[in-house]
């Protein structure tokens, strides 16, 4: 399957946005997310990141592939597992890291923390600690987007598709032909509970049929596949043809949160998925497409340096001062 | 002088004028557009402003609040109707965890300018699930305002202020006020968060909201006949809560009765009295609370009438507490 | 179509529960509901019924057909348009009428009123003024029913299928194989708004596919068709094969509530449906099955007399006395 | 003497023993069964009692509350976990319009024996959507009880009472209490609706709930060093609200401070003080309230620590109000 996709990728190379160089940048963005999650994990264990945090390592191809199909001023709503959503949409790694560390230079001044990041300058209407909240936020953003020629995207998990938010919002979006793409990151678990035991129907994509909505189930670890589906869904949305549901099947490398060892996942299942690490797949694909080992390694080094600088700067930043930064209840 | 303004008309005109004034204002809800609202509060707005600005929605209160939130942080100023206040538990998550939190949590990147209107209150024989006032469900939520008008003029001025406010606002419309007529507003808007002394008096301060204000004024008239000069304060907003105006009144009367259509425990009346006690204990010679019974609203007329505190009950409560007999008796 | 169904009906005549005499009783129950709604409408206009009321005239075949497939101790949850749900499940007409009139002899002592009737003695866990509430109540009753060998039924409208309750509960029921039948009374309007303008997908039945749930779309004005589908769904539920969604297409003869003239409905549409009055259809079918005009008319007279006595008794009953009947907040 | 009891263990044992005792009791929620709960409050219950009695659910809070309601009126006694109190807006409609109304509206045909447990409160760096206490959202809803334990022994006794109670009960578990250890209970159950004087004193009454009770006791110890003898009252239940016990204490001390982790407007602290003022104004020489700031809970440690009133703040507030300098200073 990778083969055929590579062939298609070869054929597409000269189309706008499809050059190997552009995919190299997308691969770089995926690596940026991976490195970010590794750093946050390390800093959490060191006690620098507080409360809890949900890492998206292993799922990078989804936000990067989807956001590569968006304009900078399009809207995205993410989840508490949202570092990848933010970085893929353009949030500065330093500002995001500083937020995790509770520093005054954080993208939300340290008020939000890992689960509730908001970055309107980059079209991120928010990451939502309430499962299903991102679906509503993107649906609402799409009400504006429809009047602005923009598109809105909701990222959410398989477990979120059992929330009333999912049903009410998808019907709403279809009724009003809203320019929104619902991206389900199906990693087959909600916290410690397998999807199969709490989600009827076996698949998320089919749930679009209730509303006569377009949908697609795809390999969420394949950057090319995700981008292809996203480009189509986004152009449909921008063209006034309404919403799409994309079920991107993927897997998280870490536990659900904090230092959850994820003992509830069968070892062979974990192995199978680790063997399909989206970064490895993308790297291999880039080489297939004719990029040299050196070119790709140079991107790795560039990203790693960027991440190190971001973390160092974030760690050097001050904590907010309650006297100055406590803020008010209402906008005057 | 210009003719009187009906409460429901005040609501309609406020929305109409704000849609006219600001292209960012949109209005949506269940059966509000083509049908004009189940209480006939918004007829003609859809025809006048079109589907872009005024539209009917699915019966999906949670999606409605989410749509309003997402739209509000991306440039629109939604006004939505959640038909009955009793239904406000359904959209509450979006209002509490999205709209009310956004301004602070985003570090003030943007605020959430939206208004949620609902018909509230008992006395209409609608039964337990169509008679509640949800103000107290939200009163302890930082980041959201709760407005409660008692007159047509205030309804219009406060709703216009709510629509122009950059923060989320819950707007309460008492069913037994919709058909009330009153003077036209003198100002374009009425500021949110300021209580109003609607009747001057020197013997006792009666504080209430919504329909309770009219009942309190009626009680004050009865009490005047008994030689009791009651001052009546319309709190007008449950959050922010203007205890200053109440303190000012109590400084004069030294006695306070707070009247609420709702139970005492968990109610705004006792909450206000507690703040007044904390801030102005020395001014207080007497303080008490009059509320509904501690059950859901009954349907049967005999039960509902007994359950609701009306003007007569308020007057009787004041007389009893002040040890004054009714002139009539 | 009526023809073929009558043939099937003929074939089924000797099966248990399928004799013409039994259908005559079901027809009688339908007429009881029709007459009840007519009386309530009259009493509302006279000011004897207060607040608001939602009449189900035109939809009688659904609750009667469905409840004919239930045991007396099975559970039913209905809506604010629930007079038919209650009467079909066995609530006494006099006690129900007295409730509408706010009298002490009402099935809820006058505390509930038209929208919130509860009659546990007849398995009616409640009628719910909140759109979608009945779906949750029946789902919960099914949690008990699963342990008791019973079945639970939820009645709700087309508009209710846009509520989060619908989605969350159907998934829940399928996940746990609950013995519940979800009966959507699709009358093509929610209040004054046409289903087509707010409900995506064109049909309610298809929404079961999201969960791999059994479903059927059927003629809700045909008592025989409703009963046939219900018998199958109920036996599946009782047999442990899980939930079913039945979309019963029907039409209300009155406006949504009170004295809504229902101007928003096209006259030809109204005519088309009035021509398919479920009572007329049932009456014709009974004659086809060999019952005489006299037998059916005798049933009519019996029902009318029963209804007149019920209303007279209800009107003669006292109002609750606030001193005695105000009740307490909690069960001690 | 027997070893100390950990709060989270008290929760687990209460559920375990009630499932054992009454075949009608079932327990379900998200990740509560096989995983044993995200706060490790219910490990082993699934293995011990099986899927029939203890099971994991979809992430569907509204369906969960509805399932509990429907099950409760048909013979079961469900205990459910809504993981964080912040999520309680999602199931609220079923709890408010179904469970809380049923006993009264049905004319007492049956009651709704269910318990809804949640982890609540700030101080864990969980941010604005995982730090709220939803007690006040429900405090004004007739028909539902709200229980708030502050010690392991009370947690066990009150949860057992809640499970045996025939009415719907919201049960609050403060995150910063889960790891607290304390004495074993002396009684099988603790009655719901009675406040407890947890420290006797004569100079001032400090009333609080949940974690605030521990903070108040800590403050009382500090104040003792300054010659101030504080009485501490644990309100233990927000509905019913035992103002009688508070009045009894105030009759002795004539001064009251109510401490709440939450805002003042719309909070239970001011509500309680208002009722105390209405019932016992003559006993009050001084009364005030200490609460959090009027914003959502911040994530950053520096901000969250400043936002939360702790033992030191409580002690300082009392000293200042009583015009006493800290002994240490
Ligand atoms: C309304 C709500 N219920 C429960 C939770 C607790 N919770 C946080 S993440 C999670 C699992 C979500 O699973 P899924 O949607 O598949 O997303 P994933 O974490 O797998 O990316 C749960 C139950 C929550 N945050 N919000
Ligand atoms: C949660 C909620 N939203 C709105 C309403 C107001 N309302 C009462 S009936 C109704 C229409 C329901 O339509 P449908 O589900 O099709 O049932 P029908 O009335 O047609 O039988 C609405 C919107 C309500 N009672 N509850
Ligand atoms: Mg998942
Ligand atoms: Mg309908």
């Amino acid at each position: 399957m990778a083969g055929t996709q590579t062939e298609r990728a070869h054929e597409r190379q000269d189309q706008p946005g499809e050059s190997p160089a552009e995919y190299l940048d997308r691969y770089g963005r995926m690596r940026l997310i991976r490195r970010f999650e590794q750093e946050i994990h390390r800093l959490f264990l060191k006690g620098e990141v507080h409360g809890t945090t949900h890492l998206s390592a292993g799922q990078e191809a989804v936000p990067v592939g989807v956001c590569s199909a968006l304009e900078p001023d399009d809207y995205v709503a993410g989840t508490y597992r949202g570092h990848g959503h933010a970085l893929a949409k353009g949030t500065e790694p330093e500002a995001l890291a500083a937020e995790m560390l509770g520093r005054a230079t954080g993208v939300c001044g340290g008020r939000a923390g890992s689960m509730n990041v908001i970055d309107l300058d980059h079209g991120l209407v928010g990451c939502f600690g309430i499962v299903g909240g991102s679906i509503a936020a993107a649906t609402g953003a799409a009400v504006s987007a429809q009047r602005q020629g923009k598109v809105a995207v909701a990222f959410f998990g398989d477990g979120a598709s059992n929330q009333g938010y999912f049903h009410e919002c998808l019907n709403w979006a279809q009724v009003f032909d809203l320019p929104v793409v619902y991206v389900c990151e199906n990693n087959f678990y909600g916290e410690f509970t397998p999807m199969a035991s709490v989600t009827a129907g076996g698949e998320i994509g089919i749930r679009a049929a209730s509303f006569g909505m377009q949908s697609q189930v795809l390999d969420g670890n394949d950057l090319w596949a995700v981008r292809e589906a996203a480009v189509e869904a986004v152009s449909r949305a921008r063209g006034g043809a309404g919403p799409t549901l994309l079920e991107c099947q993927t897997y998280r490398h870490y536990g659900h949160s904090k230092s959850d060892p994820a003992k509830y996942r069968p070892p062979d299942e974990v192995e199978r998925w680790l063997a399909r690490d989206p970064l490895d797949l993308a790297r291999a694909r880039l080489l297939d497409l004719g990029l040299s080992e050196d070119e790709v390694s140079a991107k790795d080094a560039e990203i790693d340096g960027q991440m190190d600088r971001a973390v160092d700067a974030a760690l050097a930043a001050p904590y907010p001062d309650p006297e100055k930064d406590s803020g008010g209840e209402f906008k005057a | 002088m210009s003719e009187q303004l009906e409460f429901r008309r005040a609501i309609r005109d406020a929305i109409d004028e704000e849609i006219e004034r600001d292209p960012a204002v949109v209005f949506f809800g269940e059966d509000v557009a083509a049908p004009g609202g189940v209480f006939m509060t918004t007829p003609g707005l859809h025809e006048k402003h079109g589907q872009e600005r005024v539209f009917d929605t699915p019966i999906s209160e949670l999606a409605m609040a989410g749509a309003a939130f997402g739209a509000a942080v991306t440039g629109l100023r939604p006004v939505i109707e959640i038909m009955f206040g009793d239904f406000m538990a359904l959209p509450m998550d979006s209002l509490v965890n999205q709209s009310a939190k956004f301004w602070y949590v985003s570090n003030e990147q943007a605020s959430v300018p939206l208004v949620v209107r609902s018909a509230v209150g008992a006395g209409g024989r609608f039964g337990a699930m169509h008679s509640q006032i949800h103000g107290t469900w939200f009163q302890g939520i930082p980041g959201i305002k709760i407005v409660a008008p008692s007159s047509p003029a205030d309804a219009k001025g406060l709703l216009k202020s709510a629509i122009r406010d950059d923060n989320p606002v819950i707007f309460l419309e008492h069913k037994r006020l919709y058909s009330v007529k009153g003077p036209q507003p003198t100002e374009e808007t009425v500021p949110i968060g300021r209580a109003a002394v609607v009747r001057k008096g020197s013997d006792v301060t009666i504080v209430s909201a919504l329909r309770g204000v009219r009942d309190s004024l009626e009680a004050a008239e009865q009490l005047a006949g008994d030689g009791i000069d009651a001052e009546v304060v319309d709190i007008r907003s449950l959050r922010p809560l203007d205890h200053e105006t109440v303190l000012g009144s109590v400084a004069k009367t030294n006695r306070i009765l707070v009247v609420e259509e709702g139970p005492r425990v968990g109610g705004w009346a006792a909450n206000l009295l507690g703040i007044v006690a904390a801030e102005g204990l020395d001014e207080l010679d007497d303080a008490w609370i009059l509320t509904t019974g501690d059950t859901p609203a009954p349907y049967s007329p005999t039960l509902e009438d007994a359950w609701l505190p009306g003007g007569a009950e308020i007057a009787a409560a004041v007389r009893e507490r002040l040890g004054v007999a009714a002139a009539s008796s």
Side-chain angles (χ1 to χ4, degrees), chain B residues 30-31 38 59 61 83-84 87 90 130:
Chain B
E30 295 158 19
D31 303 289
V38 294
I59 307 172
E61 285 77 11
M83 201 179 289
F84 285 76
F87 312 157
L90 288 164
H130 286 71

Side-chain angles (χ1 to χ4, degrees), chain A residues 50-51 99-100 102 110-111 113 115 129 162-163 191-193 320 322 329:
Chain A
H50 312 278
E99 187 62 35
M100 312 290 107
R111 292 180 180 182
M115 289 196 278
N162 293 329
Q163 284 283 22
E191 287 194 341
F192 323 119
T193 301
E329 177 178 5

Side-chain angles (χ1 to χ4, degrees), chain A residues 195-278:
Chain A
M195 169 191 170
S197 68
V198 290
T199 305
E203 115 176 17
I204 309 303
I206 192 178
R207 297 186 172 195
S210 291
F211 317 105
M213 186 186 293
Q214 296 275 349
S215 72
Q216 191 181 332
V217 181
L218 56 120
D219 178 359
N221 281 15
D222 179 340
L223 172 65
W224 278 255
V226 173
R227 173 174 159 83
E228 186 177 6
V231 166
E232 189 186 330
V234 168
S235 68
R236 196 185 300 121
R238 216 181 295 278
T244 305
L245 171 63
L246 298 179
E247 175 184 347
C248 302
Q249 303 191 332
T250 182
Y251 206 73
R252 57 171 153 76
H253 286 183
Y254 291 98
H256 165 70
S257 65
K258 295 181 181 175
S259 38
D260 156 34
K263 290 260 186 298
Y264 44 84
R265 303 193 301 191
D268 60 321
E269 173 186 289
V270 177
E271 262 170 43
R272 229 174 27 254
W273 279 99
L274 288 181
R276 302 201 62 258
D277 184 321

Side-chain angles (χ1 to χ4, degrees), chain A residues 300-311:
Chain A
D300 292 343
E302 171 199 332
I303 296 298
D304 297 357
Q306 184 185 359
M307 183 53 58
D308 294 344
R309 285 189 301 279
V311 170

Side-chain angles (χ1 to χ4, degrees), chain B residues 284-308:
Chain B
L284 290 180
D285 294 339
D286 199 359
W288 71 112
I289 303 160
L290 184 63
T291 65
T292 58
D294 269 322
T295 68
Y299 161 72
S300 182
T302 55
L303 297 178
E304 190 177 37
D305 290 343
W307 181 84
L308 275 173

Side-chain angles (χ1 to χ4, degrees), chain B:
Chain B
M1 60 154 269
S2 70
E3 56 155 296
Q4 296 248 306
L5 176 66
E6 187 182 29
F7 194 99
R8 66 162 48 77
R9 176 76 194 200
I11 298 295
R12 183 199 175 284
D13 291 352
I15 299 170
D16 183 30
E17 291 169 22
E18 291 306 303
I19 291 177
E20 198 77 60
R21 192 184 65 80
D22 183 347
V25 175
V26 292
F27 171 53
F28 52 96
E30 295 158 19
D31 303 289
V32 300
V38 294
F39 289 99
M40 296 307 282
T41 44
T42 57
L45 296 181
H46 179 250
E47 293 76 348
K48 178 174 176 186
H49 301 288
Q51 177 72 7
E52 271 265 309
R53 310 292 299 279
V54 178
F55 54 92
D56 290 315
T57 73
I59 307 172
S60 304
E61 285 77 11
L62 185 56
M64 202 192 304
F69 160 71
V73 294
T74 51
L76 293 175
R77 303 181 75 87
V79 178
I80 66 174
E81 175 178 305
I82 299 292
M83 201 179 289
F84 285 76
D86 309 68
F87 312 157
M88 282 291 286
L90 288 164
M92 187 172 181
D93 176 67
S94 179
L95 294 168
V96 166
N97 287 316
Q98 299 187 314
S99 293
K101 302 282 187 287
F102 197 85
W103 168 249
Y104 177 78
V105 171
S106 73
N107 203 26
E108 303 172 13
Q109 289 178 46
S111 67
V112 185
L114 66 84
V115 178
V116 187
R117 300 174 41 239
S118 301
V120 302
R125 322 301 187 206
F126 284 109
M129 287 75 154
H130 286 71
S131 300
Q132 298 166 85
I133 301 178
H134 56 283
T136 56
W137 308 355
F138 291 84
Q139 198 187 9
I141 308 290
I144 198 156
K145 299 183 179 182
I146 306 169
V147 175
S150 72
S151 73
D154 275 1
K156 185 171 183 183
L158 284 168
L159 183 50
K160 295 190 108 192
S161 291
I163 296 172
R164 296 181 193 188
D165 198 293
D166 285 329
N167 305 283
V169 179
I170 287 173
F171 195 85
L172 311 177
E173 302 170 11
H174 200 290
K175 298 182 196 75
R176 285 181 294 135
L177 290 176
Y178 276 133
S179 300
V180 165
K181 289 198 166 72
Q184 298 282 347
T186 52
E187 304 286 332
E188 166 88 2
T189 62
V190 174
I192 293 173
R194 294 213 207 112
V197 176
V198 292
R199 184 186 194 281
K200 293 223 159 294
S202 54
D203 297 336
V204 59
T205 298
I206 306 176
V207 185
S208 194
L210 298 163
R211 169 72 193 212
V213 173
R214 296 182 63 80
D215 298 332
S216 299
L217 286 169
E218 180 191 318
E221 290 313 314
Q222 297 179 24
L223 292 167
D226 308 319
I228 299 172
D229 184 20
E231 177 146 308
V232 177
V233 177
D234 179 353
I235 198 71
R236 292 204 297 194
S237 160
L238 299 183
R239 184 174 195 93
L241 188 69
D242 178 9
H243 63 271
E244 298 290 349
T245 296
V246 177
L247 281 171
S249 175
V250 169
K252 206 170 52 173
T253 64
N254 304 119
R255 295 197 195 86
I256 179 170
L257 164 63
V258 193
V259 179
E260 176 175 6
E261 185 185 317
R264 187 170 78 161
V265 170
W268 66 264
N271 182 265
L272 171 65
L273 181 53
I275 294 170
V276 166
E279 302 285 328
L281 189 62
D282 302 346
E283 306 288 0
L284 290 180
D285 294 339
D286 199 359
W288 71 112
I289 303 160
L290 184 63
T291 65
T292 58
D294 269 322
T295 68
Y299 161 72
S300 182
T302 55
L303 297 178
E304 190 177 37
D305 290 343
W307 181 84
L308 275 173
E313 289 74 21
I314 298 169
V318 172
R319 281 192 212 95
E320 182 203 351
R321 194 85 171 199
L322 271 60
V324 177
S328 46
S329 65

Side-chain angles (χ1 to χ4, degrees), chain A residues 29 33 63-64 66-68 70-77 82-92 119-125 151-153 155:
Chain A
R29 184 55 59 130
I33 297 170
V64 171
V66 168
C67 292
S68 77
L70 296 176
E71 299 298 326
D73 62 354
D74 284 332
Y75 303 115
V76 161
H83 310 159
H85 306 142
L87 292 170
K89 192 60 173 61
T91 298
E92 291 303 329
D119 184 8
L120 285 178
D121 288 347
H122 294 94
L124 183 71
V125 298
V151 172
V153 169
F155 291 105

